[in-house]
Structures are given as C-alpha cells and as structure tokens.
C-alpha cells in the first residue's frame, strides 16, 4: 500500500482567491502545496458564468491583482472572456500549473486531531493530507435554483445563468427570465433582440445606474505598458473614489438621495410608459440591495417583445409559466438568474472539524469567523472571502489581497511556533469580532434600507458584507494576533510553554495559549483587542 501524499498547504479553488493564494504561497517561499479544482480549467466564477453579456461591474484596472497589473484591458468594464483569459495568464506567469490539479472536486475535508492534519478526499477517489487548508471556493460558485412546483414536467429548456447552455439557440423562442439581479440585467439586453417574446419575472426591482463603459484606447494601453506607474495611478484613483463612498453606505444612508435621483433619471430616459416605470421603481433605499450598472437594460425592457411581470414565478403547468399574481405565459425556455448559495456555503457541509462537527452545523445559526478567515474548532483551516468580507461598492480583489496578507502571516506564525502545531481561533475572539461587526452593521444601508437581499441570511442577519472601508480591513488583517488563537500541539505528557498545565491525556493533541511579548492572554471569551480594533 503506497504512502498517502502529504503537503504543507492545500488550496481549494482556482478563482481569484485560489490563484491569489497560490501566488502568495510561492512568494513566501512555500512550494509544497497543491491547488484542487473541481472543473477542468481555472477561472472560478469567470469560468462558470459565460452567459451572453457577462461582464464585471467593477472597473477592470481595479478588478485585478495589484501584483499582476494588466495594461491591455480592452474596456473600462471588461467582459467575462477577457477576465477569464487574465486568470489563465496569472496561472502561467506565476508558474502555478504544476501545483494545480484539475477535476479534483473535494468531497470531504476532515481534521485528524491525532496527526494535526486535514484529510482531503476528492470525488475522483484520491486522498491527501495537508497541514493547512485554504478554502477559496467563493460565494458565487454554486447556483441557487428555486423549487418551483411543476418545473420537472416542463417540456422545454431549463437552465441557470451560471450553467448557460450555449448549444441552445434562443432565436425565435419564447423565453422566461426569472430574476432581476446582476446576471439578469446583462442577459436581458443580450437575448431580447433574438427572442420572439421575453417575459421577465421580477419579484423586486433593482436600482440601476448608468454603466460608464467605453473602449480603452490604444494610446492609453501603450502608456500603461510603457509607464506602469500610470496604471497604478489609475487603479489608485478608482480605489480612492470608492473609499470616499463608504460612509454613505455604512453610516449615513440618508445621503444616498442624490444617487437615487441619478438612477431614476437613467430609467426615465429609456422608459416612457408610466405603468412600466412604476413596476421598475424600487420602494427601498438605493444600496440596500446591490446597485446594478447598465445603460441597456431599461431600453431592452421598453421593447415591444418584452413583458415585465412584477411578481415571482410560482408554478409551471406544462409549457405555461404562472406568476404569483396569477398571470400566465406560454414559453419554450426558462432561464433562472436567481443567484447563488452565499449565506449557506455548500463547502461548509464538507468540512468536519476537531469535534467531528461540520462547519455547516457550526454555522447553522449564521456564518461567523475571526477576521473573515478562521473558524473556532477548525484548526489550520482558513477561508478566502469568508463571512462579512463582501463589498457593496468596490472590488473584491482588494479584500482578497488583504486576506492573503493574513494567510501569509498565519503561516509565518506557524513556522515561528515550530514543530507540528496548529492554530485554532479562540471562541471568545470569534464572538468579539462578530459582535462588533454586527453592531456596526445596524446603521448601514444594507440593514436599514427596507429591503430583503442576498446579503442577509435566513434569520435576517447580514453575514456577507464588510461594514467599513477596504483600507480599514487591510489594517485589521495585516498580521495575525496570536492572542486570538490557541496553539494545538501533538505529543506526550509534557508541560507546554505558556499553558500552565500538564496534558490530561498523553498522546492527544494539546492546547497552549501563546501571548505576545510582554502581554498576558485575554481571559477566555474576552473581547480583548478585537473589539477595540474593529470599532475604530
């Protein structure tokens, strides 16, 4: 029987988070790692979402790694094809291919408390061990399709926007589009000219701002190639503008009235029918749900072959789709633009921690973690884009890079501790961090704006968005404070430095509290420095 493979670090996923983690590991001098990817190519969200019109709603120069600038973005808001190609280049440029294992869907990750390692089982039958797991599966990876009565007997074509069937021709078809989120407002203008009839099911109208997209000229691109500092300056300007907007979202939602006026003007220019305008006008504060960008969505809805049903899809009867308001339409295809499993990460069901409990069970009352990265009871396991690291107005790449800083220091701290050891977030530290985040969340537009969004979990708790600036999050995740962790060691009956006690069960993993020089550890359950830092 061959010996089981053992690596220092296993990264799960090859989207921005996974590839970024791999690059950072190499920069830290760590080469003993693998990147497990369930699909047959890299790209994450930008591989899976290939629907017509798919593009990013963050400017390209900000929606890319700071360490891998791309002077050749073709548009200010580039499309899916170019973003996916960018990620492929990152994998090649930084020599990541030898570490990447495609078609390795993780079926189960279990913590081995005796050997202080994670046992990772893949669906293809392979198993490996890793000292540390970096989970970068992302919140937009598993589509959410509603359970609609009668859908299974629908004789036509059905698919989700993130699983687009490019072999199915929509030309001349009667199409039902379910949902009005970020994907739907890009899909509708792209398919409206082809469809014989397009029926849009809208439960809640979104706020839509004009999309200030344009081609980036050859001269601009040449300048960025010749003088890289100009690209850096462009990125910095885009970042700064968005940082200045944060206060209105997080502290003063009443200041968003002017933005609402711009959005209403955007609608009025294209939608002349007052009845249709009434359907499309939100009754909640802008920013409460994700603000969408499009200059083509409203013109498409005003076309004569489009019907907007201000109600959700409630039933399917043969080829007839029935809305909650009772209206009906005959269709040939149903496309769901109904989002993803965000507040109930599917990967959590596959992670079994130190006490034999899954992460999903631990998070049954709401996701929570320490600094958006680590969860108590899951030693040496870290998530990229974890709880409360999402953004409502800026680039997630900024948050990802902050978490990569935290990951790098986490691994450095393990090296300093030495020997076979693991770090486990202290319950009190996790609680303190999340209590403060939730306290700050109370006055944000996401909680007070009068809407129900995918930012909120089943209990109405916002476990998705970060209630501050990206600069603030960067400061909070620059280094790992060991006072927020217990150190677990494997070994016999010996007194562990700083623990003040003898292991009760020789041979079992034991814990110690590591303190910073000249300081005492906070009392168990204490908010310590966590609440002080995050409330600044």
């Amino acid at each position: 029987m061959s010996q089981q493979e053992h690596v220092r670090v296993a990264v799960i996923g090859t989207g921005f988070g996974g590839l970024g983690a791999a690059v950072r590991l190499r920069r830290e001098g760590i080469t003993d790692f693998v990147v497990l990817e369930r699909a047959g190519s890299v790209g994450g969200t930008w591989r899976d979402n290939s629907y017509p019109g798919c593009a990013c709603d963050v400017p390209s120069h900000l929606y890319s790694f700071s360490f891998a600038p791309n002077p050749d973005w073709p548009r200010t808001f580039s499309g899916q094809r170019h973003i996916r190609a960018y990620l492929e280049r990152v994998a090649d440029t930084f020599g990541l291919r030898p570490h990447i294992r495609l078609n390795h869907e993780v079926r189960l990750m279990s913590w081995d408390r005796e050997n202080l390692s994670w046992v990772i089982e893949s669906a293809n039958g392979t198993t490996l061990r890793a000292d540390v797991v970096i989970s970068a599966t992302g919140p937009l990876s598993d589509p959410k399709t509603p359970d609609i009565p009668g859908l299974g007997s629908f004789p036509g074509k059905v698919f989700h926007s993130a699983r687009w069937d490019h072999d199915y021709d929509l030309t001349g078809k009667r199409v039902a589009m379910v949902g009005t989120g970020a994907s739907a407002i890009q899909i509708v203008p792209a398919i409206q000219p082809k469809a014989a009839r397009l029926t849009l099911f809208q439960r809640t109208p979104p706020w839509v701002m004009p999309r200030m997209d344009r081609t980036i000229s050859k001269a601009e691109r040449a300048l960025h190639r010749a003088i890289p500092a100009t690209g850096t300056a462009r990125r910095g300007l885009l970042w700064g503008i968005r940082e200045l907007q944060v206060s209105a979202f997080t502290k003063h939602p009443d200041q968003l009235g002017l933005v609402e006026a711009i959005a209403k003007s955007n609608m009025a220019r294209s939608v002349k029918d007052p009845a249709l305008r009434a359907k499309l006008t939100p009754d909640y504060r802008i920013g409460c749900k994700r603000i969408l960008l499009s200059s083509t969505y409203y013109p498409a809805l005003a076309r004569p072959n489009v019907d907007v049903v201000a109600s959700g899809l409630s039933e399917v009867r043969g080829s007839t789709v029935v809305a909650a308001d009772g209206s009906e339409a005959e269709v040939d295809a149903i496309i769901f633009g109904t989002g993803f499993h965000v507040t109930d990460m599917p990967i959590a069901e596959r992670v079994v921690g130190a006490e034999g409990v899954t992460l999903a069970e631990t998070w049954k009352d709401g996701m929570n973690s320490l600094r958006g990265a680590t969860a108590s009871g899951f030693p040496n396991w870290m998530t990229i884009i974890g709880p409360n690291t999402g953004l409502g107005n800026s680039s997630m790449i900024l948050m990802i890079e902050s978490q990569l800083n935290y990951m790098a220091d986490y691994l450095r701290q393990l090296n300093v501790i030495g020997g076979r050891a693991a770090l486990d977030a202290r319950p009190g530290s996790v609680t303190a961090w999340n209590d403060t985040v939730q306290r700050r969340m109370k006055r944000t537009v996401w909680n007070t704006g009068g809407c129900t969004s995918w930012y909120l979990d089943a209990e109405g708790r916002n476990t998705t968005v970060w209630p501050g600036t990206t600069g603030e999050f960067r400061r909070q995740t620059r280094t790992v404070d060991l006072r927020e962790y217990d150190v677990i060691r494997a070994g016999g009956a010996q007194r562990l430095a700083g623990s003040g006690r003898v292991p009760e069960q020789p041979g079992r993993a034991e814990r110690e509290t590591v303190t910073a020089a000249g300081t005492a550890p906070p009392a168990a359950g204490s908010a310590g420095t966590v609440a002080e830092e995050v409330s600044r």
Side-chain angles (χ1 to χ4, degrees), residues 430-470:
V430 175
T431 299
W433 175 266
N434 285 278
D435 284 352
T436 307
V437 167
Q438 292 302 319
R439 188 162 57 249
R440 292 179 61 181
M441 197 71 72
K442 289 179 180 179
R443 59 181 175 177
T444 67
V445 68
W446 308 301
N447 281 38
T448 66
C451 74
T452 300
S453 73
W454 59 264
Y455 297 147
L456 308 179
D457 63 19
E459 304 302 321
R461 187 166 172 261
N462 192 327
T463 58
T464 306
V465 183
W466 169 246
T469 66
T470 61

Side-chain angles (χ1 to χ4, degrees), residues 34-326:
V34 296
V35 185
L36 305 180
E37 168 56 54
R38 68 181 177 182
S41 60
V42 305
T45 293
W46 297 103
R47 175 200 57 239
D48 295 343
N49 288 271
S50 60
Y51 56 79
C54 183
C56 189
D57 58 4
V58 175
S60 298
H61 284 272
L62 192 59
Y63 196 79
S64 45
F65 291 121
S66 63
F67 54 80
N70 178 18
D72 292 313
W73 288 116
R75 303 190 65 84
T76 51
F77 293 87
S78 295
Q80 173 265 346
R81 179 169 62 89
H82 295 99
I83 298 172
R84 183 178 180 185
Y86 169 79
L87 290 170
E88 294 277 5
R89 285 198 303 274
V90 167
D92 291 329
T93 301
F94 292 92
L96 304 182
R97 298 287 183 184
H99 299 276
I100 297 173
R101 299 184 184 180
L102 302 174
N103 301 307
H104 273 67
E105 180 177 7
V106 172
R107 187 175 65 83
L108 188 66
M109 289 182 274
S110 305
W111 177 247
D112 181 345
R113 58 192 305 170
E114 303 296 335
N115 296 296
L116 300 190
S117 61
W118 285 94
V119 179
I120 304 171
E121 302 174 29
S122 295
N124 62 10
T126 60
T127 301
L128 63 83
R129 286 181 178 270
D131 297 333
V132 179
V133 169
I134 308 299
S135 179
T137 57
L140 306 181
S141 57
D142 287 82
K144 179 183 288 186
T145 301
D147 185 13
I148 306 295
L151 182 62
S153 61
F154 178 68
K157 191 70 176 178
V158 179
F159 53 86
H160 190 279
S161 61
R163 301 291 184 267
W164 195 271
D165 188 342
H166 291 277
D167 294 329
Y168 184 76
D169 187 3
L170 293 172
T171 303
K173 299 293 195 303
R174 299 166 299 176
V175 182
M177 181 76 221
V178 184
T180 53
S183 299
I185 72 156
Q186 294 177 345
I187 293 169
V188 166
I191 68 173
Q192 173 270 319
K194 297 180 180 181
R197 193 93 203 153
L198 177 59
T199 303
L200 178 66
F201 288 86
Q202 169 196 272
R203 285 193 307 175
T204 308
W207 283 104
V208 183
M209 295 284 285
R211 186 181 184 88
M212 309 304 288
D213 189 23
R214 66 173 178 83
T215 300
I216 297 178
S217 68
K218 291 182 179 179
E220 288 175 274
R221 283 180 269 169
L223 177 64
H224 293 329
R225 283 194 301 271
I227 308 175
T230 60
T232 303
R234 184 175 192 156
R235 178 186 177 91
L237 178 62
L238 292 168
W239 169 77
I241 291 171
R242 281 157 180 75
E243 290 290 272
L244 292 174
Q245 297 170 347
V246 172
S247 177
F249 287 90
T250 60
K251 298 177 182 178
H252 307 290
D254 55 306
Q255 295 177 353
L256 292 166
L258 176 60
V259 185
E260 288 182 2
I262 296 172
K264 287 180 178 179
S265 176
N266 180 44
M267 184 195 305
R269 279 195 298 271
S270 302
V271 182
K272 305 304 181 184
D273 179 2
L276 179 57
R277 259 203 322 271
K279 287 182 181 180
L280 299 176
T281 302
D283 61 358
Y284 56 88
R285 175 63 78 187
I286 194 169
C288 182
K289 295 169 75 76
R290 182 174 172 181
I291 300 175
L292 307 181
L293 303 181
S294 178
S295 298
T296 57
Y297 178 64
Y298 288 137
L301 297 185
R303 301 298 297 170
N305 67 328
V306 178
D307 293 317
V308 177
V309 178
S311 179
L313 176 62
S314 65
E315 186 182 356
V316 177
R317 300 174 191 156
S319 59
T320 301
V321 288
V322 184
D325 65 2

